[in-house]
Amino acid sequence: MQLHTNTWTQAKNWLTYSDANGDAATKYQFWDSGTSATSAYFWTSTNDHWAANTTIEVAAADLADVWIKGGSTTGAETFWVRAFDGTDWSNWDSFTLTSVNTPPVVTAGDHSIHIDQWVTVDNWLTKTDANGDAITKYQFWDSGTAATSAYFWTPDNSHWAANTTIDVSAADLANVWIHGGSTTGSETMWVRGFDGTEWSNWDTFTVTSTPNTVPVATINDQALHVNQWVKPQGWLTATDAEGDTITKYQFWDAGAGATSAYFWTPDNSHWAANTTIDVSASDLANVWIKGGSTTGSETMWVRAFDGTAWSNWDSFTLTSTNTAPTATINDHTLNAAQWAQLVNWTTASDADGDAITQYQLWDGGGAATSAYFWTPDNSHWASSTVIDVSASDLANVWVRGGTTAGTDSMFVRAFDGTSWSTWDSFTVTSLANHAPDASISNQTLHVNEWSQVGNLVSYADADANPATAYQFWDGGGNADSGYFWTSANSHWAASTVIDVNAADLDDVWMRGGATTGTETMYVRAYDGIDWSAWHAFTLSTIV
């Protein structure tokens, strides 16, 4: 039988049992004659390494718990087995167990590296093992004895001397580097691997140190919208004539203005100007440029490293741009003292898609009766005053029409966070006011009867202005005639103007005379601008 070194198998896989009488085996005995410390051996659940030349007795029911482990080195030895059928033991049967191993194969192709270039040797190695064994360690050898030749580097020796065996565990293989020679030339190096049992053959490979051609990194001139973010990776072109991998980049920003563009990386959210910014090639996608907070241009720089040498610096101009927004309001006509929400008139747009953040308003009408702006913090903005309004508050800006007929020039402009639009002028035409109409139909009351005047008044206004005040007049001068009553005066004298706020109209009452008769009374209304004509109505007092 053969077992790969250090591999396990169940003894039952190799065992054949028969009995002429059909008796079942009740137990087995095993014997191992291999006394070497590295030889194969038996394992059971009661003993994990049975010594050689020991009788190992196992119940048939426990046969599956008997294992054989191959030797830790190659070689052959004799094992024995016999069975018991409950009455007699079989003869001992001997078998030879051979522990085998196929050495691994480790190879490295010939390679060229630049003068003074560093490379990890792990990337050059091909490792195979026919038995699937893991490589546990490696040995390297450098035959180049010249002071300027290439050499091996490990964390515990920064320059291994030529003709020295270098032992490296497989776990540390990634830490083995080769440094290209300081002058051109070739030399032979060696490598082999160990699979835990045997070393592979030494494999030779040639390392040639060659001159290096520096890479080229370029970025064309670019334009960014103010405060816009972009990854310069999309702008960058980097080439290397020898196909070397770019390993890192450096950036430089010459724009020192507080409002200029700048570089951002995960470890620095705002790189200061005139600072070298080192970025590994693997982190290039994490580099950003933010456009300046105001418009303008500045010079930036980039260069690349191929593992050996830096490219020349390449300069590019970054221009931060912005298109000012547009705000417009068409001409509008309002009735006298009419209110209108400015947001319903305003149109604003931005070619860059920037949000409008603020508006400014200006009223060019200086007359006391002209139209004006209203905001929650100022109920009547004086003309020729800049009125600042955040975009979120535009719905709270109102325009009130003038109280006399006329026109006013007003202005609006918008801010996109960077630039103001040009002022846009619009004309507000205030129409002449139409005086309201107020009337009370002729009334009949019994002697001393009361009537609420608010229920009797009819009001109309062609401009839809509400009444703000009323006036009443009692033309009956007799002591026993009817009269007006308000909460401020329980008996208004005749021929007296009685002023009443519209909100208090329900507090006005009219009382029939103490005797029968007729008299003339009057009413008129005020719409905030003009009084209506007096309207006369007759009050008749009956029994």
Side-chain angles (χ1 to χ4, degrees), residues 452-471:
Q452 197 174 19
V453 174
N455 297 328
L456 307 178
V457 176
S458 294
Y459 174 83
D461 188 278
D463 302 318
N465 293 326
T468 62
Y470 290 89
Q471 287 181 341

Side-chain angles (χ1 to χ4, degrees), residues 517-537:
T518 61
E519 58 196 287
T520 303
M521 292 186 169
Y522 300 84
V523 63
R524 68 174 181 172
Y526 187 65
D527 65 0
I529 301 172
D530 293 305
W531 285 100
S532 67
W534 284 103
H535 174 79
F537 64 97

Side-chain angles (χ1 to χ4, degrees), residues 156 178 363:
D156 56 339
I178 294 177
D363 173 13

Side-chain angles (χ1 to χ4, degrees), residues 402-424:
T403 56
T404 59
T407 60
D408 295 281
S409 292
M410 292 184 169
F411 299 84
V412 64
R413 66 174 181 171
F415 188 65
D416 66 359
T418 303
S419 304
W420 284 101
S421 69
T422 57
W423 285 102
D424 180 68

Side-chain angles (χ1 to χ4, degrees), residues 443-459:
Q443 300 293 316
T444 300
L445 290 177
H446 294 292
V447 170
N448 296 322
E449 181 183 359
W450 291 98
S451 178
Q452 197 174 19
V453 174
N455 297 328
L456 307 178
V457 176
S458 294
Y459 174 83

Side-chain angles (χ1 to χ4, degrees), residues 5 27 99 232 318 384 396 426 436 444 484 506 525:
T5 53
K27 55 184 176 181
S99 299
L318 180 67
S384 302
N396 295 323
F426 60 99
T444 300
F484 287 104
D506 287 342

